[in-house]
Amino acid sequence: MEPSISGPAPAPARIRSAGHRLRRELLPMLALLLLLGTARASFANHYHVPSGSMQPTLQPGDRVAVDMSAYGVRVPFTRHVLIERGRPQRGDVVVFDSPADGTRLIKRVVAVAGDRVELRDGHLSINGVPMADAADPQAERFGPRVARLDLANGGGPDILDARVPAGHVLVLGDHRGRSVDGRWFGFVPVDALYARALAVYWRSGDGLGWRRL
């Protein structure tokens, strides 16, 4: 009987074993990354505020948590809605692609389909009713939401009388005199709304927090 010889497996066997182990560990990792990417594309994400057009609500540099499924669950990386969840409401702060050039922006929905809109000196009326908050002339009330305005640079262009068409919303910046918004690029299709902003989770100088919008 020949003696039994123990020792390291031949190099080809070791390579095959390592390759099998790598595939076994890599495939679940790739599946997890794909799942996380899909979730980010369809459910939750964040937005970095680039300008002061939404002051004082949002400051340049703010990091904002957004709900990408607020108005429906979409096919990832498309505008095709699989499951509708809700419609944009007056007062919502939304992230969307500009109808003018596709730039991703963040503004406030101030009017929805069918609303008649008037804006004078930065002050908004919807269907003949002023939105000014009775307790603060520098703020507007949209149901339970109160939006503080910045009119330090005036109110920007007026809207004398306009009706929001079906399937669209009107968006404005809270910094009325320094906001490129619906007064410049028109009404925004609802299916162009990328997400609803939930809260500021990081602000320069203050750090982490959760300031609801």
Side-chain angles (χ1 to χ4, degrees), residues 153-194:
N153 296 95
D158 290 343
I159 300 174
L160 299 183
D161 187 21
R163 186 178 293 275
V164 183
H168 291 72
V169 295
L170 174 66
V171 298
L172 297 176
D174 290 349
H175 194 168
R176 294 282 159 84
R178 294 188 64 184
S179 176
V180 177
D181 49 37
R183 293 169 291 181
W184 303 92
F185 50 67
F187 301 109
V188 177
V190 169
D191 65 3
L193 300 181
Y194 172 76

Side-chain angles (χ1 to χ4, degrees), residues 57-200:
T57 306
L58 300 174
Q59 304 296 327
D62 279 356
R63 301 277 180 173
V64 179
V66 304
D67 178 1
M68 297 177 61
S69 66
Y71 307 124
V73 178
R74 304 178 186 228
V75 176
F77 313 109
T78 76
R79 287 164 62 168
H80 180 67
V81 176
L82 293 174
I83 304 171
E84 289 194 6
R85 288 190 58 199
R87 306 293 292 175
Q89 303 296 313
R90 298 188 203 107
D92 285 359
V93 177
V94 296
V95 179
F96 62 98
D97 294 330
S98 167
D101 58 11
T103 301
R104 192 148 285 175
L105 303 173
I106 188 165
K107 307 288 181 187
R108 188 180 300 279
V109 173
V110 298
V112 296
D115 284 344
R116 282 186 50 246
V117 180
E118 188 173 288
L119 185 74
R120 293 181 183 273
D121 299 323
H123 297 285
L124 183 70
S125 294
I126 301 294
N127 300 322
V129 179
M131 294 291 102
D133 184 42
D136 185 353
Q138 291 291 101
E140 291 174 343
R141 180 172 289 278
F142 300 92
R145 291 191 180 94
V146 175
R148 284 197 53 76
L149 306 179
D150 186 338
L151 299 176
N153 296 95
D158 290 343
I159 300 174
L160 299 183
D161 187 21
R163 186 178 293 275
V164 183
H168 291 72
V169 295
L170 174 66
V171 298
L172 297 176
D174 290 349
H175 194 168
R176 294 282 159 84
R178 294 188 64 184
S179 176
V180 177
D181 49 37
R183 293 169 291 181
W184 303 92
F185 50 67
F187 301 109
V188 177
V190 169
D191 65 3
L193 300 181
Y194 172 76
R196 178 168 62 86
L198 301 175
V200 177

Side-chain angles (χ1 to χ4, degrees), residues 5-40:
I5 300 175
S6 62
R14 290 201 304 274
I15 292 171
R16 285 195 299 272
S17 176
H20 177 71
R21 188 165 57 250
L22 180 62
R23 286 194 299 273
R24 188 176 60 206
E25 295 175 358
L26 185 59
L27 288 176
M29 187 180 299
L30 290 175
L32 176 61
L33 291 174
L34 179 61
L35 180 62
L36 290 174
T38 301
R40 184 179 176 187

